[in-house]
C-alpha cells in the first residue's frame, strides 16, 4: 500500500506545524526588526546629537573668535563621521565660516533605507558661550546621510529573516521524520497487515507495531482485532446457518420432487379414471338413449294390443250381456286399465331418470281440474266415505303450469286416500298461498305406521307387507308424485297417524294467470240438513255465502215446521218424502252417484234436484240458480245429465292394426261419426282424392307409408288446408308431440285412449250437433 508523500499524515502534520511555526517565526522576526528599526531610528538622532554636543564648545569658540581656519578643521573633523554629508558653521550674520560636504553613498538598497529613515536629516546647533548663553554666535549645521545607519539595519533585518526561515525549514524536516516514524510508519504497517490479510485463512490478530502497545495506535489495533474477531465469529455463524439452510433446501427439493412424482402418478391415475368415467358416462348415456328408445318401442308394442283389448272390452260392455258376463268383462276391463296406469307410471319414472320429462307452461283452471279428477275417482270411494272438493273461493280462475302433471299429482294422492279409507271423509282442498297454491288431500283412513313413513316415497315400496294383498297397488304412485312436485319446483309433505288418517300436502309455485272467477249473485235462505262434521256442511258454508246466499246448517232430524227457507239441501234421501208432504220448499239431494233416486220418485218430489258427490261449483251454482229462480233459469227441473254429444261427421281412420281399427271405429260410431278406414298413408291419400272428409285420425307408425309422411304429403298438396289431422300414437316420449306437429298434424291422441278423450278431441275439432 503506497501513499503519496503529500497525502501522508506525517507530511500533513509536519507541513501544518511548519506553516504555523513559519508564520509565528516571521511574525516574531518582523517584531524584532520593528524594534530594531525603532532603536536604529533613535540612535541616528542620538549619535548626531552627541556629535553636536561634542562639537558645540569648539564651534562656539570658533564663532566667537571668528577663526575660519579652526572652523575649517572642525568641519573637516565632523565630516569624518561616516554619516555626516555636510557640515558648516555660520556666524551670526549669516556668513559661512567653514563648510564641507561630500556626496551621499550610492547603493541598490538605498531606496529601502530612504523609505525607512528618510534620505537625509539636518541638525542645527545654535552657538553660544557658556557665560553669555543669551547671545547667539552663529549656528553649527550638520546634514546627515541616513543610509550610513540604514544599511546596517537592513543587513541585520535580512539576517534575522533568513535565520528565521532556516529554523522553520529545519524544524519541519525534523518533524516530518518524527511524524513519519511515530505515526505514518506504524499506521501504514497496520494498513498493510490488514489489506494483506486473507479473511478466510488469517484468523489471528493484527500485530501491534512495537512500542505502540499503550498509545492510540495500540488501542486502534486492539479495537480492530476485537471487531475482526466479532466479524469472524458472525461470519462463521452465518456460514453455519447457510450450510444448514442449504441442507434443508436440498431436503426440501427431495421432498418436492418426491411429491411431484407422486402427484404426477396420481394425475395419471386420475386422467385414466376420468377417461374411464367419461367412457362409463358415454356408455350410460347411450344406454339411457337405448332404454328410452326401448321404452318408446315397448310402450308402443304394449299399448297397441292393450288399446285393442280395452277398446274391445268397452265395446262388448256396451252390448247385450248377461250380468255374469258383464261382471267378468268389467273385471277384465278394470285390470286392463290398471295395467295401462302401471305402464304410464313406469314410463313417467323412466322419463325422470332419462331427464326427459318436459313441463308445459299453459293457463288452466285448477279448480275445474280438481273437481273433474275427484268426480272421476269418486267411483273408487267406499260407500261410507264422503269425498269433498274444498276449493277456496279466492283461488285464481286460471293458473300457469302443466295441467297434465298437476292432474297426475291430484289423482295419485286422491286415489291413495280413497284406496286406504273405508269410512269417514276424504277431502281435496285447494287454496292459494303466498308462493302459489297448496293442494291438500286428507283422509280418515288407515294411516301410515311411523316406521314406514320414511320409506313410502321410494319406488315399489309400500307401508306394510299386506298392503298389496289387501289394497293392491305397486308402490310407484308417491315416488312419482314427489318427483313431479319437485320437477315443478314444489314440494310434497305429509303427516299421518296410524289408524287415524293421513294428510298429503303438495305446495306448487304456480303463478296466477287470471283472478278468482266472479259468480252471478244468488239470493235466498238455504238450510242444509247434514251432520256438523260432514264435508258437505263445510263446502256449503264456504261457497253459499260467497254467492250471496244466506246459509244455515240444521241437524238432519230437525222438524219440518222449523225449516223456513227458500231451499233445503239434504245429504240423504230418507226424509225427502216426509219433507215434501209438509213443505213446498225446493229440495236438493246431494248423494253418491249410486244412491240417486229413480226418476218417477224424483218427479213426485218436484221442485227437486239431485247432485252427485263430490259437488262441483259450477253444477251446484247452476242447480241452485234453477231451484231458487225457476223463472229466470227457465226450468225448475234438475239439470239433466249431460247429453251425448253427437258429431255427424265423416272421419277417415288411418290405422294398420285391425283390432285398433275395430275399437276406434266402434267409438267413433257411438259418437255419431261416419267412419272410413285406410290401412296406411298411401290408401289414405287415395281415399282423400275421391271422398270428402271432415277429420283424419292418423296412426303414426304404419307399414308402406307412415302417418308422418302421409300428413306431410297432404299438407304439401295444399288441397285440404283446413282438414284437421289428429295423430294417434302409442309413443309416449315427449318429442313425439313435436314430431307430429312438425309433420303438419293438428293434435295428438295417445293410445290407448278412452271414449271421453276421443269425444273431447272431436269436440274441439268438429262442429257440434246434439242428438235428439
Ligand atoms: P301404491 O299406492 O301403488 O301402493 P304409492 O306410492 O302411492 O303406491 O304409496 C306407497 C305406500 O304408501 C302405499 O302402499 C301405502 O302403504 C302408503 N300410503 C300412501 N298413501 C296413503 C294413505 N293416504 N293412507 C295410508 N297409506 C298410504
Amino acid at each position: 500500500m503506497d501513499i503519496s508523500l503529500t497525502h501522508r499524515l506525517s507530511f500533513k502534520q509536519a507541513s501544518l506545524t511548519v506553516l504555523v511555526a513559519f508564520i509565528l517565526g516571521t511574525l516574531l522576526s518582523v517584531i524584532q526588526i520593528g524594534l530594531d528599526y525603532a532603536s536604529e531610528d533613535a540612535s541616528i538622532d542620538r549619535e548626531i546629537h552627541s556629535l553636536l554636543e561634542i562639537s558645540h564648545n569648539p564651534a562656539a569658540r570658533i564663532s566667537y573668535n571668528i577663526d575660519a581656519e579652526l572652523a575649517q578643521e572642525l568641519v573637516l573633523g565632523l565630516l569624518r563621521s561616516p554619516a555626516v554629508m555636510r557640515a558648516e558653521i555660520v556666524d551670526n550674520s549669516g556668513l559661512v565660516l567653514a563648510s564641507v560636504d561630500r556626496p551621499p553613498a550610492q547603493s541598490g538598497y538605498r531606496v529601502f533605507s530612504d523609505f525607512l529613515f528618510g534620505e537625509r536629516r539636518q541638525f542645527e546647533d545654535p552657538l553660544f558661550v557658556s557665560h553669555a548663553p543669551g547671545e547667539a554666535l552663529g549656528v553649527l549645521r550638520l546634514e546627515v546621510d541616513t543610509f550610513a545607519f540604514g544599511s546596517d539595519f537592513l543587513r541585520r533585518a535580512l539576517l534575522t529573516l533568513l535565520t528565521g526561515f532556516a529554523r522553520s525549514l529545519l524544524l519541519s524536516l525534523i518533524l516530518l521524520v518524527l511524524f513519519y516514524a511515530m505515526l505514518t510508519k506504524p499506521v501504514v504497517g497496520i494498513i498493510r497487515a490488514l489489506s494483506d490479510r486473507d479473511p478466510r485463512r488469517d484468523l489471528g490478530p493484527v500485530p501491534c507495531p512495537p512500542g505502540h502497545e499503550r498509545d492510540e495506535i495500540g488501542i486502534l489495533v486492539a479495537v480492530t482485532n476485537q471487531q475482526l474477531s466479532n466479524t469472524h465469529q458472525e461470519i462463521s455463524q452465518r456460514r453455519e446457518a447457510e450450510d444448514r439452510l442449504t441442507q434443508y433446501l436440498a431436503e426440501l427439493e427431495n421432498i418436492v420432487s418426491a411429491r411431484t412424482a407422486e402427484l404426477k402418478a396420481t394425475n395419471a391415475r386420475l386422467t385414466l379414471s376420468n377417461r374411464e368415467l367419461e367412457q362409463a358416462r358415454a356408455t350410460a348415456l347411450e344406454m339411457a338413449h337405448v332404454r328410452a328408445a326401448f321404452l318408446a318401442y315397448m310402450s308402443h308394442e304394449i299399448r297397441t294390443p292393450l288399446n285393442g283389448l280395452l277398446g274391445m272390452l268397452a265395446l262388448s260392455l256396451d252390448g247385450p250381456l248377461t250380468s255374469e258376463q258383464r261382471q267378468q268383462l268389467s273385471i277384465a276391463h278394470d285390470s286392463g286399465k290398471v295395467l295401462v296406469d302401471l305402464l304410464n307410471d313406469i314410463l313417467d319414472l323412466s322419463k325422470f331418470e332419462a331427464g326427459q320429462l318436459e313441463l308445459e307452461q299453459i293457463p288452466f283452471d285448477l279448480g275445474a281440474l280438481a273437481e273433474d279428477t275427484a268426480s272421476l275417482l269418486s267411483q273408487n270411494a267406499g260407500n261410507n266415505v264422503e269425498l269433498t272438493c274444498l276449493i277456496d273461493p279466492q283461488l285464481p280462475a286460471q293458473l300457469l303450469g302443466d295441467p297434465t302433471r298437476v292432474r297426475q299429482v291430484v289423482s295419485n294422492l286422491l286415489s291413495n286416500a280413497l284406496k286406504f279409507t273405508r269410512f269417514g271423509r276424504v277431502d281435496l282442498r285447494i287454496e292459494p298461498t303466498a308462493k302459489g297454491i297448496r293442494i291438500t288431500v286428507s283422509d280418515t283412513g288407515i294411516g301410515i305406521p311411523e316406521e314406514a313413513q320414511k320409506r313410502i316415497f321410494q319406488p315399489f315400496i309400500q307401508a306394510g307387507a299386506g298392503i298389496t294383498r289387501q289394497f293392491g297397488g305397486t308402490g310407484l304412485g308417491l315416488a312419482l308424485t314427489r318427483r313431479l312436485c319437485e320437477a315443478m319446483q314444489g314440494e310434497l309433505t305429509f303427516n299421518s297417524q296410524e289408524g287415524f288418517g293421513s294428510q298429503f300436502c303438495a305446495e306448487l309455485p304456480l303463478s296466477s294467470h287470471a283472478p278468482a272467477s266472479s259468480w252471478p249473485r244468488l239470493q235466498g235462505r238455504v238450510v242444509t240438513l247434514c251432520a256438523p262434521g260432514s264435508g258437505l256442511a263445510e263446502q256449503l258454508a264456504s261457497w253459499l255465502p260467497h254467492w250471496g246466499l244466506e246459509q244455515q246448517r240444521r241437524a238432519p232430524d230437525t222438524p219440518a215446521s222449523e225449516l223456513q227457507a227458500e231451499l233445503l239441501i239434504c245429504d240423504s234421501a230418507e226424509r225427502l218424502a216426509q219433507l215434501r208432504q209438509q213443505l213446498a220448499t225446493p229440495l236438493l239431494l246431494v248423494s253418491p252417484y249410486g244412491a240417486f233416486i229413480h226418476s218417477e220418485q224424483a218427479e213426485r218430489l218436484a221442485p227437486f234436484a239431485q247432485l252427485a258427490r263430490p259437488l262441483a261449483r259450477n253444477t251446484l251454482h247452476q242447480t241452485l240458480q234453477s231451484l231458487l229462480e225457476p223463472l229466470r233459469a227457465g226450468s225448475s227441473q234438475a239439470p239433466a245429465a249431460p247429453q251425448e254429444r253427437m258429431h255427424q261427421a265423416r272421419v277417415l281412420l288411418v290405422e294398420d292394426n285391425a283390432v285398433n281399427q275395430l275399437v276406434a271405429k266402434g267409438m267413433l260410431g257411438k259418437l255419431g261419426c261416419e267412419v272410413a278406414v285406410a290401412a296406411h298413408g298411401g290408401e289414405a291419400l287415395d281415399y282423400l282424392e275421391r271422398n270428402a272428409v271432415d277429420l283424419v285420425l292418423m296412426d303414426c307408425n304404419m307399414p308402406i307409408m307412415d302417418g308422418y309422411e302421409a300428413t306431410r304429403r297432404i299438407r304439401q298438396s295444399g288441397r285440404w288446408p283446413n282438414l284437421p289431422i289428429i295423430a294417434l300414437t302409442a309413443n309416449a316420449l315427449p318429442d313425439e308431440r313435436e314430431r307430429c306437429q312438425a309433420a303438419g298434424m293438428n293434435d295428438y291422441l295417445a293410445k290407448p285412449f278412452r271414449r271421453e278423450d276421443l269425444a273431447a278431441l272431436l269436440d274441439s275439432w268438429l262442429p257440434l250437433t246434439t242428438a235428439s
Side-chain angles (χ1 to χ4, degrees):
M1 161 126 332
D2 263 344
I3 304 172
S4 65
L5 179 72
T6 47
H7 284 118
R8 286 187 181 176
L9 207 55
S10 50
F11 178 82
K12 283 183 187 169
Q13 279 217 326
S15 52
L16 255 178
T17 318
V18 166
L19 186 70
V20 173
F22 176 77
I23 292 168
L24 269 175
T26 310
L27 208 65
L28 286 172
S29 299
V30 169
I31 291 170
Q32 197 179 340
I33 291 167
L35 288 173
D36 193 22
Y37 166 73
S39 97
E40 190 64 41
D41 192 45
S43 83
I44 294 174
D45 289 346
R46 207 168 45 242
E47 254 185 59
I48 300 302
H49 277 297
S50 62
L51 197 64
L52 282 175
E53 241 173 70
I54 296 167
S55 312
H56 179 76
N57 281 341
R61 259 182 239 128
I62 287 168
S63 303
Y64 187 72
N65 295 325
I66 311 172
D67 187 345
E69 210 174 311
L70 268 176
Q72 193 64 30
E73 266 179 44
L74 186 65
V75 292
L76 277 173
L78 284 170
L79 201 62
R80 260 185 232 127
S81 164
V84 177
M85 254 170 64
R86 199 158 71 97
E88 63 183 6
I89 298 171
V90 182
D91 71 3
N92 222 5
S93 58
L95 181 76
V96 177
L97 291 179
S99 171
V100 286
D101 57 11
R102 67 167 165 205
Q106 290 304 324
S107 165
Y109 300 112
R110 232 211 116 94
V111 283
F112 300 112
S113 171
D114 290 352
F115 172 71
L116 290 169
F117 299 102
E119 197 183 339
R120 60 194 62 187
R121 289 188 197 176
Q122 275 201 350
F123 296 90
E124 279 184 356
D125 186 25
L127 298 175
F128 55 86
V129 282
S130 51
H131 52 268
E135 194 180 330
L137 298 176
V139 175
L140 175 59
R141 200 173 283 153
L142 286 180
E143 206 172 271
V144 173
D145 182 4
T146 55
F147 185 64
F149 298 94
S151 60
D152 282 348
F153 168 76
L154 285 178
R155 209 176 303 118
R156 271 199 316 276
L158 192 65
L159 198 67
T160 310
L161 280 177
L162 284 177
T163 51
F165 284 141
R167 262 202 313 272
S168 298
L169 201 66
L170 197 64
L171 183 68
S172 62
L173 273 173
I174 292 166
L175 280 177
L176 194 63
V177 171
L178 278 179
F179 281 140
Y180 176 76
M182 294 296 290
L183 209 63
T184 305
K185 199 174 163 204
V187 171
V188 167
I190 294 168
I191 291 169
R192 193 162 290 143
L194 279 173
S195 62
D196 289 351
R197 259 168 94 86
D198 182 348
R200 281 163 222 278
R201 278 183 291 111
D202 299 335
L203 304 178
V206 176
C208 180
H212 288 282
E213 287 78 6
R214 288 167 187 281
D215 61 13
E216 292 88 332
I217 291 175
I219 290 168
L220 179 73
V221 170
V223 170
T224 309
N225 280 335
Q226 182 63 42
Q227 292 292 348
L228 278 175
S229 112
N230 288 350
T231 314
H232 174 67
Q233 213 172 332
E234 210 166 289
I235 285 175
S236 58
Q237 278 172 356
R238 286 217 180 147
R239 207 167 285 159
E240 230 171 88
E242 248 171 45
D243 288 349
R244 277 207 300 277
L245 206 68
T246 320
Q247 201 179 330
Y248 287 145
L249 274 177
E251 279 171 24
L252 205 68
E253 240 166 62
N254 285 345
I255 293 172
V256 167
S257 54
R259 290 279 148 83
T260 314
E262 236 171 76
L263 270 177
K264 266 188 195 157
T266 320
N267 216 6
R269 277 201 302 278
L270 260 178
T271 320
L272 196 68
S273 64
N274 264 355
R275 217 172 290 146
E276 281 168 5
L277 270 176
E278 272 300 307
Q279 256 170 6
R281 188 173 166 271
T283 319
L285 278 178
E286 202 177 314
M287 276 172 65
H289 275 116
V290 170
R291 194 166 55 181
F294 170 72
L295 278 173
Y297 178 74
M298 195 188 76
S299 82
H300 180 80
E301 291 303 304
I302 300 177
R303 279 161 185 249
T304 308
L306 254 184
N307 190 23
L309 207 67
L310 286 176
M312 295 316 288
L313 286 172
L315 283 179
S316 312
L317 278 168
D318 281 347
L321 293 171
T322 66
S323 66
E324 199 179 342
Q325 282 171 329
R326 181 174 300 282
Q327 205 181 351
Q328 287 164 350
L329 285 181
S330 297
I331 292 170
H333 190 254
D334 289 349
S335 309
K337 281 210 292 199
V338 170
L339 203 58
V340 172
D341 288 346
L342 174 63
L343 189 67
N344 284 339
D345 281 356
I346 293 177
L347 276 172
D348 276 344
L349 266 181
S350 321
K351 275 189 231 164
F352 270 115
E353 270 161 35
Q356 286 179 331
L357 188 96
E358 280 176 14
L359 292 172
E360 279 190 308
Q361 193 71 6
I362 52 171
F364 69 101
D365 181 352
L366 175 61
L369 182 147
E371 285 168 346
D372 282 356
T373 314
S375 150
L376 214 70
L377 292 174
S378 64
Q379 39 191 307
N380 301 349
N383 286 340
N384 298 317
V385 178
E386 186 190 13
L387 169 60
T388 321
C389 249
L390 296 162
I391 292 166
D392 192 301
Q394 303 310 325
L395 182 76
Q398 298 259 292
L399 290 158
L400 270 184
D402 187 331
T404 316
R405 300 304 172 186
V406 176
R407 185 192 291 277
Q408 254 177 308
V409 170
V410 175
S411 141
N412 278 341
L413 295 178
L414 207 54
S415 55
N416 271 352
L418 292 169
K419 186 160 68 171
F420 296 109
T421 308
R422 292 281 184 250
F423 52 85
R425 279 176 65 173
V426 169
D427 295 334
L428 167 60
R429 218 176 273 273
I430 313 263
E431 53 204 340
T433 62
K435 289 185 192 156
I437 54 124
R438 183 183 300 128
I439 302 172
T440 316
V441 176
S442 39
D443 64 58
T444 54
I446 60 167
I448 305 168
E450 213 170 313
E451 72 279 2
Q453 292 189 0
K454 288 179 206 110
R455 293 180 279 126
I456 57 163
F457 287 119
Q458 292 168 19
F460 303 108
I461 297 288
Q462 297 184 315
I467 294 279
T468 319
R469 188 173 16 87
Q470 212 183 334
F471 299 95
T474 54
L476 279 177
L478 284 183
L480 189 64
T481 309
R482 171 174 259 192
R483 288 189 200 184
L484 280 172
C485 290
E486 284 167 1
M488 289 186 264
Q489 316 296 326
E491 61 169 346
L492 177 65
T493 52
F494 78 101
N495 57 63
S496 178
Q497 211 181 342
E498 197 176 1
F500 289 93
S502 319
Q503 192 184 49
F504 284 82
C505 179
E507 301 259 5
L508 301 178
L510 305 179
S511 52
S512 160
H513 185 68
S517 23
S518 58
W519 299 81
R521 301 288 291 172
L522 298 174
Q523 265 185 352
R525 181 179 147 83
V526 178
V527 169
T528 315
L529 293 176
C530 59
S534 73
L536 181 66
E538 191 177 340
Q539 189 182 23
L540 294 178
S542 127
W543 279 101
L544 299 193
H546 185 69
W547 290 331
L549 292 167
E550 195 186 322
Q551 191 261 349
Q552 195 183 22
R553 190 196 62 77
R554 303 295 297 269
D557 54 356
T558 314
S561 56
E562 289 177 26
L563 301 171
Q564 266 114 44
E566 271 82 58
L567 174 69
L568 280 178
I569 302 181
C570 314
D571 62 355
S572 105
E574 277 171 27
R575 276 191 75 195
L576 287 176
Q578 182 220 342
L579 285 171
R580 180 49 72 231
Q581 280 171 7
Q582 298 176 6
L583 298 167
T585 322
L587 297 172
L588 171 62
L589 171 65
V590 180
S591 65
Y593 198 75
F596 267 24
I597 56 173
H598 297 297
S599 45
E600 311 92 62
Q601 199 186 344
E603 269 169 32
R604 285 200 295 276
L605 290 170
F608 168 77
Q610 51 185 340
L611 286 177
R613 273 201 319 242
L615 280 180
R617 296 158 301 165
N618 230 346
T619 348
L620 178 63
H621 188 274
Q622 276 173 16
T623 313
L624 290 176
Q625 197 173 27
S626 65
L627 288 175
L628 287 166
E629 300 162 33
L631 292 177
R632 246 182 68 183
S635 162
S636 64
Q637 292 299 309
Q643 287 176 339
E644 186 99 274
R645 287 158 297 194
M646 302 300 271
H647 300 277
Q648 289 168 341
R650 288 150 301 178
V651 174
L652 173 60
L653 172 69
V654 192
E655 166 71 68
D656 60 324
N657 186 299
V659 181
N660 287 351
Q661 281 178 4
L662 262 178
V663 174
K665 217 171 154 183
M667 285 184 186
L668 287 165
K670 286 217 156 121
L671 290 166
C673 298
E674 195 184 302
V675 188
V677 179
H680 56 81
E683 268 184 29
L685 283 167
D686 284 349
Y687 185 86
L688 280 175
E689 294 283 345
R690 285 178 278 107
N691 303 285
V693 168
D694 297 316
L695 182 138
V696 178
L697 286 178
M698 179 78 80
D699 183 27
C700 290
N701 297 312
M702 289 177 294
I704 304 175
M705 186 189 291
D706 66 18
Y708 310 112
E709 181 57 29
T711 311
R712 264 194 292 276
R713 293 203 185 178
I714 292 172
R715 294 296 180 224
Q716 271 164 12
S717 75
R719 294 180 49 200
W720 307 279
N722 299 322
L723 177 67
I725 304 179
I726 313 296
L728 295 180
T729 173
N731 186 349
L733 294 178
D735 53 353
E736 183 58 20
R737 189 183 283 255
E738 282 158 32
R739 209 171 150 204
C740 293
Q741 266 175 0
M745 303 195 201
N746 301 79
D747 211 337
Y748 169 101
L749 190 59
K751 290 196 281 189
F753 48 83
R754 295 169 305 156
R755 197 156 85 197
E756 303 87 83
D757 300 332
L758 186 59
L761 206 99
L762 294 184
D763 280 353
S764 56
W765 290 107
L766 289 174
L768 199 75
T769 51
T770 308
S772 53

